[in-house]
Amino acid sequence: MMEFTWDKFYEELQIRAPNILKVVSAIESDIPMQVSGKKFLHILHTVASGLHGRSQEMSALHYQVGFILVHGGCTAHDITRLAKLGISMTPQSVHGLLAKWKENLDAEIIKLKEDWEIGENVKYQLVGDNWDKNILPSFRTSQQQTISLHLFNLIAVVDRVKVLPVPSNPLPFHDIKLDQFLPSPKEQELLKAELVFIVATSVIANIPQLTCLLQNIYPKHLNHKYSTQAGLKTTQYPFGLFDCNETKTTDVIQLLKDLQKKYVPYINNEIKEPLLFGGDRLTDERFQGAQQALSNGETASDRLEGFISKIEDFHRLMNFLEVIMIIIHYL
């Protein structure tokens, strides 16, 4: 199911059911059609619906349609009506399959953790934030009140840059010479090149005559050692929602204990290296408070030292848009 693609389905039809494929293709068009075009998808969808009617187990496409409907907020009643038309699976089947997949959401991260423990350099970090929702009843009574859900959404992000371990041999403070604090000639040249790029970019952007001449030819970004990796799409693994109320320290402590046991690399029951854990400012404060509450633990694991909390700018763009709206509408 997770590896389903139209190309694989088309190749399998060519091998196992070439005559059916030819018949359905002739119904759709008299001329050869472009692979991956709209008519091409019509053909595969028609064959998939026919095969699903013959065997209920051949339902990958119908499950995917059900996933799309659930993700888009379609009600269970509407999905059931579409299932009766043979377009989708029933809501019970869709949610049942999703529940089975729940245990495999972190399979790739578990493998990365095991590789990390034996010395591999591909690392990852966790990012999360609270997820709160109030469910209002249609008719409020003494027994039927507003239901408040307080959960925690978590994803894992794989680092795009493989950082090799660098041996650290810090010198005593009194042994450090004064000239080591001053920038070397190589560092001065590097700083000069960066300042030239920053000033040139600013001048080109703000002088119309230079903008017309140089905007399309001057580089947009300063090239650096990891420019290629920075342009790659981030690999993320959503872990779903955890039953954790971020306002309760006991819930946060239990969440960190479970995550530390499962995702932090260990060697001989000792933490090999802590994970970065990103969140907004409130999440960062809650995590640090949980670690301080257990600061008298006997081991690093007891003190929750498997995580290093850091702040992510989740709400910066939203705050910026709110300020723009206030300026436009009220000033």
Side-chain angles (χ1 to χ4, degrees):
M1 176 70 71
M2 299 296 293
E3 298 178 355
F4 173 84
T5 63
W6 290 112
D7 293 336
K8 290 183 179 179
F9 182 43
Y10 179 66
E11 293 175 358
E12 189 173 359
L13 287 176
Q14 286 181 317
I15 297 173
R16 299 191 177 186
N19 294 330
I20 295 178
L21 183 61
K22 291 179 181 179
V23 171
V24 178
S25 299
I27 296 174
E28 179 69 26
S29 177
D30 295 332
I31 60 176
M33 61 194 66
Q34 182 181 2
V35 177
S36 73
K38 189 174 182 179
K39 291 185 177 182
F40 174 75
L41 297 179
H42 287 172
I43 295 172
L44 298 184
H45 194 288
T46 302
V47 176
S49 298
L51 294 177
H52 176 59
R54 182 179 181 88
S55 175
Q56 294 297 313
E57 286 74 19
M58 305 181 70
S59 54
L61 176 63
H62 295 75
Y63 268 115
Q64 293 194 16
V65 174
F67 295 154
I68 295 172
L69 295 174
V70 171
H71 183 268
C74 189
T75 63
H77 180 67
D78 293 334
I79 298 177
T80 302
R81 297 176 67 180
L82 293 174
K84 291 180 179 179
L85 296 176
I87 298 176
S88 171
M89 300 299 293
T90 61
Q92 295 80 7
S93 298
V94 173
H95 288 290
L97 185 58
L98 290 175
K100 292 181 180 179
W101 286 352
K102 181 180 179 181
E103 302 300 328
N104 299 323
L105 292 176
D106 57 355
E108 292 294 332
I109 295 300
I110 295 297
K111 185 177 183 304
L112 289 178
K113 188 198 81 167
E114 295 172 353
D115 294 340
W116 192 348
E117 291 174 340
I118 61 176
E120 295 292 335
N121 295 320
V122 179
K123 303 179 181 180
Y124 53 90
Q125 55 186 284
L126 302 180
V127 180
D129 196 11
N130 60 297
W131 187 91
D132 303 321
K133 183 177 179 60
N134 291 328
I135 302 178
L136 302 177
S138 301
F139 300 97
R140 190 183 301 275
T141 64
S142 58
Q143 291 80 21
Q144 192 172 359
Q145 300 288 337
T146 300
I147 301 176
S148 296
L149 299 179
H150 302 283
L151 306 174
F152 192 84
N153 187 30
L154 183 69
I155 64 173
V157 181
V158 180
D159 295 342
R160 286 173 289 185
V161 177
K162 298 180 181 179
V163 180
L164 299 177
V166 179
S168 178
N169 297 315
L171 295 175
F173 178 77
H174 59 272
D175 292 340
I176 301 178
K177 297 182 180 179
L178 182 60
D179 58 357
Q180 293 181 352
F181 289 95
L182 301 176
S184 64
K186 183 179 179 180
E187 294 172 338
Q188 295 180 29
E189 291 296 328
L190 180 61
L191 177 61
K192 179 180 178 181
E194 294 178 353
L195 291 176
V196 167
F197 176 81
I198 293 173
V199 174
T201 303
S202 178
V203 169
I204 294 173
N206 293 279
I207 299 179
Q209 293 81 357
L210 294 179
T211 302
C212 297
L213 294 174
L214 302 176
Q215 183 179 19
N216 295 328
I217 62 175
Y218 199 77
K220 303 295 182 183
H221 304 282
L222 181 64
N223 291 328
H224 54 83
K225 183 178 180 180
Y226 301 110
S227 294
T228 302
Q229 290 86 340
L232 299 176
K233 185 177 180 180
T234 303
T235 302
Q236 302 180 7
Y237 296 94
F239 290 166
L241 296 172
F242 290 79
D243 187 10
C244 172
N245 187 349
E246 200 179 54
T247 61
K248 297 181 179 179
T249 304
T250 54
D251 285 7
V252 176
I253 291 175
Q254 187 59 48
L255 175 66
L256 291 179
K257 285 183 177 180
D258 295 339
L259 297 179
Q260 179 177 256
K261 183 178 180 181
K262 198 169 186 180
Y263 303 119
V264 173
Y266 280 81
I267 293 182
N268 299 326
N269 297 325
E270 295 292 336
I271 297 174
K272 178 180 180 180
E273 188 174 345
L275 288 182
L276 292 175
F277 203 128
D280 58 12
R281 295 181 183 275
L282 181 59
T283 301
D284 177 66
E285 178 185 352
R286 302 295 186 189
F287 282 7
Q288 291 190 24
Q291 290 175 325
Q292 291 176 2
L294 300 180
S295 58
N296 60 345
E298 295 183 359
T299 64
S301 297
D302 295 338
R303 297 188 295 270
L304 297 179
E305 295 180 358
F307 295 110
I308 299 177
S309 178
K310 66 186 182 76
I311 296 175
E312 302 282 355
D313 289 333
F314 290 143
H315 312 295
R316 180 176 57 179
L317 179 58
M318 182 184 68
N319 295 336
F320 172 75
L321 295 176
E322 288 181 352
V323 171
I324 295 298
M325 184 182 68
I326 293 174
I327 293 175
I328 294 176
H329 289 279
Y330 299 104
L331 297 182

